[in-house]
Amino acid sequence: MEPAYTQSRYEAPDYPARARHRNVPVHEPGGGADGNERLTAWTGLVLLLLLAAEGLTILSVGSLLTMHFFIGMVLLGPVAVKLGSTGYRFVRYYTGSAPYRRKGPPAPILRLLGPVIVAATVGVFGSGVALAFTGPVGRWPWVFLHKGSFVVWFCAMTVHVLWYAPQLPRILRARRTAVAGRGVRFSLLAASLVLGLVIAVMTVHLAGNWRMGVGG
């Protein structure tokens, strides 16, 4: 009769394989696909508030030019996180990650608008930073690019926001313990705001070049 202990030797489990067969979730530091969704949603909410304030400065950009510069620079941090979180979801989905595949892709119209939004966002903020450093003297072609990309960005983002806004309450009301990595996500978002504030404080003086009307 074969000793009982040899049974475990013959049945030595392949733990990763067994976990995959039982669909045991793999815990990621940021909470996986659900955590990515929440990070994107919270960052989107912060961006909505900041962009609303930035939009108010456009109504009277002459007298609110410094504030326009300042908020625009603050936005750089959260915008980077938003592009990063959505880009990460894109990569994980198309590389076959099971949790991201289960969530499925965005709606077809949003998949079409995605590259447009990314390109327009880079155009708006990239040209804005360029204008800040070049001043009125070197404003061409940055002013044209800034205005043109803003029109495209505004139209695409209107569709994006109207589609996702009704989903925000459900995502933001999720229980604190529902998804791991809550601290990591909020630390990342807070760090992006701090980074944006640091950039804004260091560059806000550049608005003076435009206020003095150098070069006309």
Side-chain angles (χ1 to χ4, degrees):
M1 182 175 180
E2 188 174 3
Y5 69 85
T6 59
Q7 186 69 21
S8 62
R9 181 182 65 193
Y10 293 129
E11 296 181 357
D14 177 5
Y15 288 106
R18 290 180 65 187
R20 287 195 297 270
H21 288 309
R22 292 200 305 264
N23 293 322
V24 175
V26 178
H27 297 289
E28 299 183 20
D34 288 334
N36 176 271
E37 181 182 51
R38 283 159 175 74
L39 174 61
T40 303
W42 278 106
T43 307
L45 179 61
V46 170
L47 285 173
L48 279 177
L49 297 175
L50 289 174
L51 288 169
E54 183 77 332
L56 291 176
T57 66
I58 296 176
L59 299 178
S60 183
V61 72
S63 59
L64 299 175
L65 182 62
T66 301
M67 186 62 65
H68 184 77
F69 264 64
F70 188 86
I71 297 175
M73 293 299 183
V74 172
L75 278 162
L76 292 177
V79 164
V81 171
K82 184 69 158 54
L83 291 176
S85 66
T86 53
Y88 184 78
R89 175 190 174 184
F90 175 88
V91 171
R92 293 301 301 273
Y93 178 84
Y94 284 104
T95 54
S97 174
Y100 288 86
R101 298 290 291 186
R102 281 195 296 270
K103 278 191 171 296
I109 186 173
L110 298 179
R111 297 173 75 178
L112 292 173
L113 285 177
V116 177
I117 291 175
V118 171
T121 299
V122 173
V124 169
F125 288 94
S127 60
V129 171
L131 284 168
F133 283 95
T134 61
V137 174
R139 62 185 177 182
W140 184 262
W142 302 115
V143 168
F144 175 79
L145 180 59
H146 193 61
K147 293 180 178 180
S149 56
F150 173 78
V151 172
V152 175
W153 175 87
F154 183 81
C155 294
M157 281 301 298
T158 298
V159 177
H160 180 87
V161 171
L162 290 177
W163 184 278
Y164 281 112
Q167 304 178 37
L168 277 178
R170 171 186 61 82
I171 299 172
L172 301 181
R173 283 200 306 263
R175 293 184 299 113
R176 293 182 179 182
T177 57
V179 180
R182 182 173 181 268
V184 173
R185 294 191 297 275
F186 278 97
S187 296
L188 182 59
L189 181 54
S192 73
L193 286 169
V194 171
L195 176 61
L197 282 170
V198 170
I199 295 173
V201 170
M202 293 178 64
T203 59
V204 69
H205 67 280
L206 297 173
N209 294 333
W210 287 89
R211 189 171 294 283
M212 288 186 298
V214 178

